[in-house]
Structure formats: C-alpha cells, structure tokens
Amino acid sequence: MDDSRTINYYSQFDEWGRLDREPLEFHINWHYIRRFLPLSGHILDNGAGPGKYAMELAKCEYKVTLADLTPRLVQAASAKAEELGLANRFQGFYVADARSLSLFSSECFDASLMMGPLYHLQLLEERKQAASELHRVTRIGGYVFVSFMTRIRHALTALAHPRSWRPTDNMADINAFMESGIFNHSDEGRFTGAYYYNVDEITPFMEAHGFETIKLIGSSSAAGLLGKEQFDYWESLGDAEYARFMQFLYDSAENTHILGMSSHLLYIGRRK
C-alpha cells in the first residue's frame, strides 16, 4: 500500500463531517455495535479516523484506545475528546498501522473495532496482516466489528456517476474493477488507493483468520437507494411513524438479499 496516498487524502478530508452528512451509516453500525459490546471493558478503535465511534464508546464509559495511520486524525480525535470532556476515558491516542500493532500486547482488548483500514489495503497479504493483528490483540471470546466496502455498489455508483469516478467511466475499466476490486482515482484529491470486496468473500476471509461469524450487516440497510426526499417524507409523518421506519431499516440491515445495495458492510465476529 502507498501509505502517503491514504495519509494525504485523510489529512484534508472531513471524515467526521461525512458521518454527520450521511448519518444512517453511523446510526446503523452503532445500533449493532452497542448490542454486542461487553457491559464494560477496554475497547480498541483501530483505524478510528477522528474518533466518531470512539467518542460514543467513551460516553458509554468504556476504556478506549484509539489508533489511526493518519497523524492529523489522531490529533483531531484527541482534541475532540478534550472538547467533549471524555479524555479521561481514553487510554491513549496512537499513530499506528493496522498491519502491525506491535505497540499493543496480545489479547489486551475486550473488543475491537476496525472500521476503515481494509478500505485501503490493496494487497491480499496486507489485508491478511491486518486481520491477523486484530485477532492477536483481541481477547478470546471478544467481539470485533470490521467495515468493508462492497464492489458491486461501487460499480453501480460508477455507472450512475461516471465522470465523478474516473477511471471507472467506461465499461472496460468497470469490468476490470469488478475483477480486481482495486480502485485508484484519476482525479487528484479524491478517494483513492481503495479495495472493494465481493460480498461473499467477507465471511470466509474473516473466518480464515480465527473469527466466528455472528452477523454481516449492510450499514445503509434498505436505504441504499433512498435520498433526502424519501427521508423527509417519512419524517414528515411524525415521530412514531419515523421511528417505525428507522426500526425497519435496522431490521433490514441483516437481510442478506440486499447487502450489495450498501456501500459499506459491517462484519460482527467473535475471536476464537
């Protein structure tokens, strides 16, 4: 992996703002993460970015260790923890590579999140290293929460908005992408250096690295094809109806038939 591309991108991109602008991904992921977390303990947020999930963990009074490859994001997370009065819940803020977590001892975390690193590890050997390290630092029986990006959804996005996703603006490159899962944006400053999974590859990959599969969910659920107009409609019907709408999305996130509609998937597993 060319780390500089990833670091440069996230050094200028507002990842916290992305999750605020697209809150459904965060809300659905957090709904499921909260369900499977232990009642208390020490949680690793590995590839945490600016710490959106880490802050929620701290609010729930877990001990949290945060790590990310991009120094600017680690600094931003530390500042956010101070701003929110949560700094005392954190055990440290580290610039660290998901492929080598040697600064952490084996089985030192009661649960672990890895919500971003696998997006940017284009070589299979690097993805294996990250999964192996996640396994090593999580205690036996501890839950892990791992994000993946889906290959078919990116292809559909490229078909709909080809000029925004060059070089996948022609069928030859889209077909090549579907074979490899590798995407390097032609335009400077855009999301790049990425790897996208086929949905049916995710569970075998994680199980091959010592995890028992609990669930694989779509982080945007059945709303992958819905826009602001549709959300506004359901919200206009009142709080009770909107709550039922959201519960439908939470429940549908587990529907295996629509996983490919979601740009991000959340794997929930248990360390053997």
Side-chain angles (χ1 to χ4, degrees), residues 59-75:
K59 289 175 185 177
C60 293
E61 300 189 349
Y62 293 99
K63 293 191 295 183
V64 185
T65 291
L66 182 146
D68 196 88
L69 184 66
T70 303
R72 174 187 166 272
L73 294 182
V74 176
Q75 294 166 4

mmCIF file with all atom_site columns, all heavy atoms in Angstrom, residues 59-75:
data_model
loop_
_atom_site.group_PDB
_atom_site.id
_atom_site.type_symbol
_atom_site.label_atom_id
_atom_site.label_alt_id
_atom_site.label_comp_id
_atom_site.label_asym_id
_atom_site.label_entity_id
_atom_site.label_seq_id
_atom_site.pdbx_PDB_ins_code
_atom_site.Cartn_x
_atom_site.Cartn_y
_atom_site.Cartn_z
_atom_site.occupancy
_atom_site.B_iso_or_equiv
_atom_site.pdbx_formal_charge
_atom_site.auth_seq_id
_atom_site.auth_comp_id
_atom_site.auth_asym_id
_atom_site.auth_atom_id
_atom_site.pdbx_PDB_model_num
ATOM 1   N N   . LYS A 1 59 ? -18.440 7.750  25.858 1.00 0.00 ? 59 LYS A N   1
ATOM 2   C CA  . LYS A 1 59 ? -19.678 8.212  26.502 1.00 0.00 ? 59 LYS A CA  1
ATOM 3   C C   . LYS A 1 59 ? -20.361 7.082  27.263 1.00 0.00 ? 59 LYS A C   1
ATOM 4   O O   . LYS A 1 59 ? -21.056 7.318  28.261 1.00 0.00 ? 59 LYS A O   1
ATOM 5   C CB  . LYS A 1 59 ? -20.632 8.784  25.460 1.00 0.00 ? 59 LYS A CB  1
ATOM 6   C CG  . LYS A 1 59 ? -20.192 10.112 24.868 1.00 0.00 ? 59 LYS A CG  1
ATOM 7   C CD  . LYS A 1 59 ? -21.140 10.547 23.755 1.00 0.00 ? 59 LYS A CD  1
ATOM 8   C CE  . LYS A 1 59 ? -20.648 11.804 23.059 1.00 0.00 ? 59 LYS A CE  1
ATOM 9   N NZ  . LYS A 1 59 ? -21.538 12.186 21.915 1.00 0.00 ? 59 LYS A NZ  1
ATOM 10  N N   . CYS A 1 60 ? -20.177 5.848  26.773 1.00 0.00 ? 60 CYS A N   1
ATOM 11  C CA  . CYS A 1 60 ? -20.775 4.679  27.427 1.00 0.00 ? 60 CYS A CA  1
ATOM 12  C C   . CYS A 1 60 ? -19.865 4.126  28.527 1.00 0.00 ? 60 CYS A C   1
ATOM 13  O O   . CYS A 1 60 ? -20.111 3.032  29.058 1.00 0.00 ? 60 CYS A O   1
ATOM 14  C CB  . CYS A 1 60 ? -21.059 3.593  26.399 1.00 0.00 ? 60 CYS A CB  1
ATOM 15  S SG  . CYS A 1 60 ? -22.344 4.031  25.199 1.00 0.00 ? 60 CYS A SG  1
ATOM 16  N N   . GLU A 1 61 ? -18.809 4.875  28.862 1.00 0.00 ? 61 GLU A N   1
ATOM 17  C CA  . GLU A 1 61 ? -17.920 4.608  29.984 1.00 0.00 ? 61 GLU A CA  1
ATOM 18  C C   . GLU A 1 61 ? -17.015 3.399  29.780 1.00 0.00 ? 61 GLU A C   1
ATOM 19  O O   . GLU A 1 61 ? -16.527 2.800  30.755 1.00 0.00 ? 61 GLU A O   1
ATOM 20  C CB  . GLU A 1 61 ? -18.706 4.500  31.299 1.00 0.00 ? 61 GLU A CB  1
ATOM 21  C CG  . GLU A 1 61 ? -19.473 5.797  31.624 1.00 0.00 ? 61 GLU A CG  1
ATOM 22  C CD  . GLU A 1 61 ? -20.068 5.789  33.018 1.00 0.00 ? 61 GLU A CD  1
ATOM 23  O OE1 . GLU A 1 61 ? -20.073 4.726  33.672 1.00 0.00 ? 61 GLU A OE1 1
ATOM 24  O OE2 . GLU A 1 61 ? -20.511 6.864  33.452 1.00 0.00 ? 61 GLU A OE2 1
ATOM 25  N N   . TYR A 1 62 ? -16.762 3.038  28.522 1.00 0.00 ? 62 TYR A N   1
ATOM 26  C CA  . TYR A 1 62 ? -15.716 2.065  28.257 1.00 0.00 ? 62 TYR A CA  1
ATOM 27  C C   . TYR A 1 62 ? -14.356 2.755  28.351 1.00 0.00 ? 62 TYR A C   1
ATOM 28  O O   . TYR A 1 62 ? -14.242 3.958  28.111 1.00 0.00 ? 62 TYR A O   1
ATOM 29  C CB  . TYR A 1 62 ? -15.878 1.467  26.853 1.00 0.00 ? 62 TYR A CB  1
ATOM 30  C CG  . TYR A 1 62 ? -17.107 0.612  26.696 1.00 0.00 ? 62 TYR A CG  1
ATOM 31  C CD1 . TYR A 1 62 ? -18.260 1.128  26.104 1.00 0.00 ? 62 TYR A CD1 1
ATOM 32  C CD2 . TYR A 1 62 ? -17.123 -0.707 27.143 1.00 0.00 ? 62 TYR A CD2 1
ATOM 33  C CE1 . TYR A 1 62 ? -19.396 0.349  25.955 1.00 0.00 ? 62 TYR A CE1 1
ATOM 34  C CE2 . TYR A 1 62 ? -18.257 -1.486 27.006 1.00 0.00 ? 62 TYR A CE2 1
ATOM 35  C CZ  . TYR A 1 62 ? -19.388 -0.960 26.415 1.00 0.00 ? 62 TYR A CZ  1
ATOM 36  O OH  . TYR A 1 62 ? -20.514 -1.730 26.288 1.00 0.00 ? 62 TYR A OH  1
ATOM 37  N N   . LYS A 1 63 ? -13.336 1.992  28.666 1.00 0.00 ? 63 LYS A N   1
ATOM 38  C CA  . LYS A 1 63 ? -11.971 2.442  28.463 1.00 0.00 ? 63 LYS A CA  1
ATOM 39  C C   . LYS A 1 63 ? -11.673 2.281  26.977 1.00 0.00 ? 63 LYS A C   1
ATOM 40  O O   . LYS A 1 63 ? -11.965 1.235  26.397 1.00 0.00 ? 63 LYS A O   1
ATOM 41  C CB  . LYS A 1 63 ? -10.989 1.621  29.297 1.00 0.00 ? 63 LYS A CB  1
ATOM 42  C CG  . LYS A 1 63 ? -11.126 1.815  30.784 1.00 0.00 ? 63 LYS A CG  1
ATOM 43  C CD  . LYS A 1 63 ? -9.964  1.179  31.547 1.00 0.00 ? 63 LYS A CD  1
ATOM 44  C CE  . LYS A 1 63 ? -9.966  -0.336 31.393 1.00 0.00 ? 63 LYS A CE  1
ATOM 45  N NZ  . LYS A 1 63 ? -8.869  -0.964 32.190 1.00 0.00 ? 63 LYS A NZ  1
ATOM 46  N N   . VAL A 1 64 ? -11.091 3.285  26.348 1.00 0.00 ? 64 VAL A N   1
ATOM 47  C CA  . VAL A 1 64 ? -10.915 3.286  24.891 1.00 0.00 ? 64 VAL A CA  1
ATOM 48  C C   . VAL A 1 64 ? -9.467  3.586  24.549 1.00 0.00 ? 64 VAL A C   1
ATOM 49  O O   . VAL A 1 64 ? -8.860  4.506  25.105 1.00 0.00 ? 64 VAL A O   1
ATOM 50  C CB  . VAL A 1 64 ? -11.831 4.334  24.218 1.00 0.00 ? 64 VAL A CB  1
ATOM 51  C CG1 . VAL A 1 64 ? -11.719 4.233  22.692 1.00 0.00 ? 64 VAL A CG1 1
ATOM 52  C CG2 . VAL A 1 64 ? -13.281 4.163  24.654 1.00 0.00 ? 64 VAL A CG2 1
ATOM 53  N N   . THR A 1 65 ? -8.930  2.808  23.619 1.00 0.00 ? 65 THR A N   1
ATOM 54  C CA  . THR A 1 65 ? -7.646  3.123  22.991 1.00 0.00 ? 65 THR A CA  1
ATOM 55  C C   . THR A 1 65 ? -7.912  3.392  21.522 1.00 0.00 ? 65 THR A C   1
ATOM 56  O O   . THR A 1 65 ? -8.583  2.605  20.851 1.00 0.00 ? 65 THR A O   1
ATOM 57  C CB  . THR A 1 65 ? -6.643  1.967  23.148 1.00 0.00 ? 65 THR A CB  1
ATOM 58  O OG1 . THR A 1 65 ? -6.263  1.875  24.524 1.00 0.00 ? 65 THR A OG1 1
ATOM 59  C CG2 . THR A 1 65 ? -5.400  2.197  22.298 1.00 0.00 ? 65 THR A CG2 1
ATOM 60  N N   . LEU A 1 66 ? -7.389  4.505  21.027 1.00 0.00 ? 66 LEU A N   1
ATOM 61  C CA  . LEU A 1 66 ? -7.634  4.927  19.642 1.00 0.00 ? 66 LEU A CA  1
ATOM 62  C C   . LEU A 1 66 ? -6.332  4.865  18.857 1.00 0.00 ? 66 LEU A C   1
ATOM 63  O O   . LEU A 1 66 ? -5.282  5.297  19.339 1.00 0.00 ? 66 LEU A O   1
ATOM 64  C CB  . LEU A 1 66 ? -8.205  6.341  19.631 1.00 0.00 ? 66 LEU A CB  1
ATOM 65  C CG  . LEU A 1 66 ? -8.562  6.942  18.264 1.00 0.00 ? 66 LEU A CG  1
ATOM 66  C CD1 . LEU A 1 66 ? -9.787  7.848  18.378 1.00 0.00 ? 66 LEU A CD1 1
ATOM 67  C CD2 . LEU A 1 66 ? -7.389  7.744  17.666 1.00 0.00 ? 66 LEU A CD2 1
ATOM 68  N N   . ALA A 1 67 ? -6.420  4.325  17.631 1.00 0.00 ? 67 ALA A N   1
ATOM 69  C CA  . ALA A 1 67 ? -5.255  4.253  16.754 1.00 0.00 ? 67 ALA A CA  1
ATOM 70  C C   . ALA A 1 67 ? -5.673  4.557  15.328 1.00 0.00 ? 67 ALA A C   1
ATOM 71  O O   . ALA A 1 67 ? -6.758  4.168  14.888 1.00 0.00 ? 67 ALA A O   1
ATOM 72  C CB  . ALA A 1 67 ? -4.624  2.857  16.830 1.00 0.00 ? 67 ALA A CB  1
ATOM 73  N N   . ASP A 1 68 ? -4.801  5.255  14.607 1.00 0.00 ? 68 ASP A N   1
ATOM 74  C CA  . ASP A 1 68 ? -5.040  5.527  13.188 1.00 0.00 ? 68 ASP A CA  1
ATOM 75  C C   . ASP A 1 68 ? -3.710  5.788  12.500 1.00 0.00 ? 68 ASP A C   1
ATOM 76  O O   . ASP A 1 68 ? -2.738  6.218  13.136 1.00 0.00 ? 68 ASP A O   1
ATOM 77  C CB  . ASP A 1 68 ? -5.977  6.728  12.997 1.00 0.00 ? 68 ASP A CB  1
ATOM 78  C CG  . ASP A 1 68 ? -6.540  6.781  11.586 1.00 0.00 ? 68 ASP A CG  1
ATOM 79  O OD1 . ASP A 1 68 ? -7.593  6.152  11.345 1.00 0.00 ? 68 ASP A OD1 1
ATOM 80  O OD2 . ASP A 1 68 ? -5.934  7.441  10.722 1.00 0.00 ? 68 ASP A OD2 1
ATOM 81  N N   . LEU A 1 69 ? -3.690  5.562  11.190 1.00 0.00 ? 69 LEU A N   1
ATOM 82  C CA  . LEU A 1 69 ? -2.473  5.744  10.405 1.00 0.00 ? 69 LEU A CA  1
ATOM 83  C C   . LEU A 1 69 ? -2.139  7.209  10.166 1.00 0.00 ? 69 LEU A C   1
ATOM 84  O O   . LEU A 1 69 ? -0.979  7.568  9.977  1.00 0.00 ? 69 LEU A O   1
ATOM 85  C CB  . LEU A 1 69 ? -2.646  5.027  9.058  1.00 0.00 ? 69 LEU A CB  1
ATOM 86  C CG  . LEU A 1 69 ? -1.453  5.014  8.103  1.00 0.00 ? 69 LEU A CG  1
ATOM 87  C CD1 . LEU A 1 69 ? -0.304  4.212  8.687  1.00 0.00 ? 69 LEU A CD1 1
ATOM 88  C CD2 . LEU A 1 69 ? -1.879  4.431  6.747  1.00 0.00 ? 69 LEU A CD2 1
ATOM 89  N N   . THR A 1 70 ? -3.171  8.085  10.172 1.00 0.00 ? 70 THR A N   1
ATOM 90  C CA  . THR A 1 70 ? -3.001  9.483  9.795  1.00 0.00 ? 70 THR A CA  1
ATOM 91  C C   . THR A 1 70 ? -2.794  10.355 11.030 1.00 0.00 ? 70 THR A C   1
ATOM 92  O O   . THR A 1 70 ? -3.707  10.500 11.848 1.00 0.00 ? 70 THR A O   1
ATOM 93  C CB  . THR A 1 70 ? -4.226  9.972  9.002  1.00 0.00 ? 70 THR A CB  1
ATOM 94  O OG1 . THR A 1 70 ? -4.406  9.136  7.858  1.00 0.00 ? 70 THR A OG1 1
ATOM 95  C CG2 . THR A 1 70 ? -4.052  11.416 8.555  1.00 0.00 ? 70 THR A CG2 1
ATOM 96  N N   . PRO A 1 71 ? -1.619  10.961 11.193 1.00 0.00 ? 71 PRO A N   1
ATOM 97  C CA  . PRO A 1 71 ? -1.351  11.756 12.401 1.00 0.00 ? 71 PRO A CA  1
ATOM 98  C C   . PRO A 1 71 ? -2.376  12.860 12.637 1.00 0.00 ? 71 PRO A C   1
ATOM 99  O O   . PRO A 1 71 ? -2.782  13.094 13.793 1.00 0.00 ? 71 PRO A O   1
ATOM 100 C CB  . PRO A 1 71 ? 0.046   12.334 12.136 1.00 0.00 ? 71 PRO A CB  1
ATOM 101 C CG  . PRO A 1 71 ? 0.696   11.333 11.222 1.00 0.00 ? 71 PRO A CG  1
ATOM 102 C CD  . PRO A 1 71 ? -0.414  10.832 10.344 1.00 0.00 ? 71 PRO A CD  1
ATOM 103 N N   . ARG A 1 72 ? -2.796  13.541 11.577 1.00 0.00 ? 72 ARG A N   1
ATOM 104 C CA  . ARG A 1 72 ? -3.753  14.639 11.749 1.00 0.00 ? 72 ARG A CA  1
ATOM 105 C C   . ARG A 1 72 ? -5.054  14.139 12.386 1.00 0.00 ? 72 ARG A C   1
ATOM 106 O O   . ARG A 1 72 ? -5.647  14.829 13.229 1.00 0.00 ? 72 ARG A O   1
ATOM 107 C CB  . ARG A 1 72 ? -4.062  15.290 10.405 1.00 0.00 ? 72 ARG A CB  1
ATOM 108 C CG  . ARG A 1 72 ? -5.157  16.350 10.475 1.00 0.00 ? 72 ARG A CG  1
ATOM 109 C CD  . ARG A 1 72 ? -5.562  16.870 9.108  1.00 0.00 ? 72 ARG A CD  1
ATOM 110 N NE  . ARG A 1 72 ? -6.808  17.623 9.168  1.00 0.00 ? 72 ARG A NE  1
ATOM 111 C CZ  . ARG A 1 72 ? -8.008  17.077 9.061  1.00 0.00 ? 72 ARG A CZ  1
ATOM 112 N NH1 . ARG A 1 72 ? -8.129  15.767 8.887  1.00 0.00 ? 72 ARG A NH1 1
ATOM 113 N NH2 . ARG A 1 72 ? -9.099  17.820 9.137  1.00 0.00 ? 72 ARG A NH2 1
ATOM 114 N N   . LEU A 1 73 ? -5.516  12.942 11.999 1.00 0.00 ? 73 LEU A N   1
ATOM 115 C CA  . LEU A 1 73 ? -6.765  12.421 12.547 1.00 0.00 ? 73 LEU A CA  1
ATOM 116 C C   . LEU A 1 73 ? -6.609  12.012 14.004 1.00 0.00 ? 73 LEU A C   1
ATOM 117 O O   . LEU A 1 73 ? -7.534  12.187 14.803 1.00 0.00 ? 73 LEU A O   1
ATOM 118 C CB  . LEU A 1 73 ? -7.254  11.242 11.708 1.00 0.00 ? 73 LEU A CB  1
ATOM 119 C CG  . LEU A 1 73 ? -7.678  11.575 10.282 1.00 0.00 ? 73 LEU A CG  1
ATOM 120 C CD1 . LEU A 1 73 ? -8.195  10.331 9.574  1.00 0.00 ? 73 LEU A CD1 1
ATOM 121 C CD2 . LEU A 1 73 ? -8.735  12.680 10.253 1.00 0.00 ? 73 LEU A CD2 1
ATOM 122 N N   . VAL A 1 74 ? -5.446  11.490 14.360 1.00 0.00 ? 74 VAL A N   1
ATOM 123 C CA  . VAL A 1 74 ? -5.196  11.147 15.761 1.00 0.00 ? 74 VAL A CA  1
ATOM 124 C C   . VAL A 1 74 ? -5.199  12.417 16.611 1.00 0.00 ? 74 VAL A C   1
ATOM 125 O O   . VAL A 1 74 ? -5.788  12.452 17.711 1.00 0.00 ? 74 VAL A O   1
ATOM 126 C CB  . VAL A 1 74 ? -3.863  10.389 15.906 1.00 0.00 ? 74 VAL A CB  1
ATOM 127 C CG1 . VAL A 1 74 ? -3.549  10.123 17.371 1.00 0.00 ? 74 VAL A CG1 1
ATOM 128 C CG2 . VAL A 1 74 ? -3.914  9.066  15.132 1.00 0.00 ? 74 VAL A CG2 1
ATOM 129 N N   . GLN A 1 75 ? -4.590  13.468 16.117 1.00 0.00 ? 75 GLN A N   1
ATOM 130 C CA  . GLN A 1 75 ? -4.596  14.748 16.827 1.00 0.00 ? 75 GLN A CA  1
ATOM 131 C C   . GLN A 1 75 ? -6.017  15.295 16.953 1.00 0.00 ? 75 GLN A C   1
ATOM 132 O O   . GLN A 1 75 ? -6.412  15.802 18.010 1.00 0.00 ? 75 GLN A O   1
ATOM 133 C CB  . GLN A 1 75 ? -3.710  15.746 16.087 1.00 0.00 ? 75 GLN A CB  1
ATOM 134 C CG  . GLN A 1 75 ? -2.234  15.390 16.087 1.00 0.00 ? 75 GLN A CG  1
ATOM 135 C CD  . GLN A 1 75 ? -1.428  16.185 15.072 1.00 0.00 ? 75 GLN A CD  1
ATOM 136 O OE1 . GLN A 1 75 ? -1.952  17.070 14.396 1.00 0.00 ? 75 GLN A OE1 1
ATOM 137 N NE2 . GLN A 1 75 ? -0.144  15.871 14.954 1.00 0.00 ? 75 GLN A NE2 1
#
